[in-house]
Amino acid sequence: MTETELRNKVVNVMQGWLGWSEKNGKFKAIIDLYNTQRPLPRGYAVQYDDEWCATTVTAAGMAAGLHDIIFGECSCSKMIELYRAAGRWEENDAYRPEPGDIIMYYWKDGSNYATTDCTAAPNHVGIVEKVAGSTITVIEGNKGEAVARRTLAVNGRYIRGFCLPDYAGKAEEDDDMDQTKFNQMFREAMTAYRKELQDNDCGDYSEAARKWATETGLIAGNGTTINGLPNYMWQDLTTREQLIVVLFRFAQTHGLA
């Protein structure tokens, strides 16, 4: 999958969870999914009465099949540690995120943009859904005890920083195919396609056409037969060279060459 497809994959998971809340009880499925990790981060199973924003981010990565790049944690601070260790932590509040990036918040951030670059422990986390102009839309777990959206400005107040899953690296890994593997897949696909051709003749005229081509010597066979007639690769692919040879033989037969 491409990087964009991978990013959209985790965003789609979060969109599907919108409205899941403590009130309707659906949030429990998110926590239950998180707790299926083996081993559990720091050996801790999240409880239903715990804060569950970081748990939601982790579970979304699991549901999207991207748990190897969306690191598992139920603590915002511990999650930052994981991304920092991997060189995937962006401290600059002015960073313009992309869908699928993880945004961290600090609610006691300064009241004006000149003092927003805090370094305190984060309070909350969500996954960026989209960026339009200077507006970031984020989907978060445990926002008002539900999975819900939030909008804020690029480089706005409360941004603590960004965890950046390596979508590009994952895309390269999935798309990287050596020549041997490609050749094998191509051969298998072509064999299946040629089988389809062999199962589909040209109707009532097919047998008469084969007989005519056989008797006039237009096509050379390979020594096998189909329905009692020489097999001249009737239902197989034809190269340009083979087509020219057939046309040349036809021209010779009619004194045109």
Side-chain angles (χ1 to χ4, degrees):
M1 299 180 79
T2 66
E3 177 182 351
T4 298
E5 289 171 335
L6 292 174
R7 289 178 175 276
N8 289 338
K9 198 172 182 182
V10 70
V11 170
N12 290 341
V13 170
M14 292 293 288
Q15 291 172 335
W17 289 349
L18 284 167
W20 290 23
S21 67
E22 294 183 18
K23 184 176 181 179
N24 60 33
K26 289 186 177 181
F27 84 109
K28 292 181 179 180
I30 296 173
I31 294 176
D32 291 343
L33 175 57
Y34 177 93
N35 286 335
T36 63
Q37 297 176 90
R38 293 295 181 270
L40 279 167
R42 294 177 291 120
Y44 180 74
V46 176
Q47 306 300 303
Y48 293 146
D49 58 354
D50 288 338
E51 300 296 330
W52 47 283
C53 56
T55 298
T56 301
V57 169
T58 298
M62 296 170 67
L66 300 172
H67 193 40
D68 54 338
I69 61 172
I70 298 179
F71 305 140
E73 251 302 337
C74 58
S75 159
C76 293
S77 294
K78 293 297 184 182
M79 185 174 285
I80 287 179
E81 289 180 12
L82 293 175
Y83 283 92
R84 195 191 302 274
R88 307 296 302 178
W89 167 247
E90 177 56 73
E91 188 81 30
N92 181 13
D93 293 3
Y95 167 77
R96 184 181 179 85
E98 298 181 62
D101 285 347
I102 299 167
I103 184 170
M104 292 282 180
Y105 302 99
Y106 178 63
W107 301 134
K108 295 181 180 180
D109 204 357
S111 59
N112 62 73
Y113 294 153
T115 59
T116 59
D117 291 328
C118 65
T119 57
N123 308 115
H124 191 59
V125 62
I127 291 180
V128 175
E129 179 183 26
K130 63 181 178 180
V131 180
S134 60
T135 300
I136 306 171
T137 302
V138 186
I139 303 178
E140 305 160 10
N142 201 26
K143 180 182 183 295
E145 299 182 347
V147 179
R149 288 186 172 96
R150 181 192 308 274
T151 59
L152 69 161
V154 174
N155 199 24
R157 188 181 178 186
Y158 305 128
I159 296 176
R160 174 64 184 83
F162 299 89
C163 297
L164 307 178
D166 189 11
Y167 295 105
K170 178 73 172 176
E172 292 171 359
E173 174 184 317
D174 286 348
D175 291 343
D176 184 20
M177 183 183 301
D178 62 39
Q179 192 64 45
T180 300
K181 183 176 180 180
F182 173 82
N183 290 345
Q184 179 62 29
M185 292 178 64
F186 180 80
R187 284 193 296 269
E188 292 174 357
M190 287 302 300
T191 298
Y193 179 62
R194 291 169 69 177
K195 180 64 169 59
E196 290 181 12
L197 292 178
Q198 292 168 8
D199 291 340
N200 179 31
D201 63 22
C202 298
D204 294 337
Y205 294 101
S206 180
E207 185 172 342
R210 292 177 190 172
K211 183 177 180 180
W212 173 78
T214 300
E215 293 175 346
T216 57
L218 288 180
I219 302 178
N222 63 2
T224 63
T225 60
I226 296 179
N227 296 328
L229 292 173
N231 175 16
Y232 298 113
M233 307 302 285
W234 298 103
Q235 297 109 331
D236 207 339
L237 303 176
T238 302
T239 67
R240 293 179 181 178
E241 182 179 8
Q242 291 169 333
L243 176 60
I244 294 300
V245 169
V246 171
L247 292 175
F248 180 70
R249 289 174 178 167
F250 181 86
Q252 283 183 318
T253 301
H254 290 78
L256 301 175

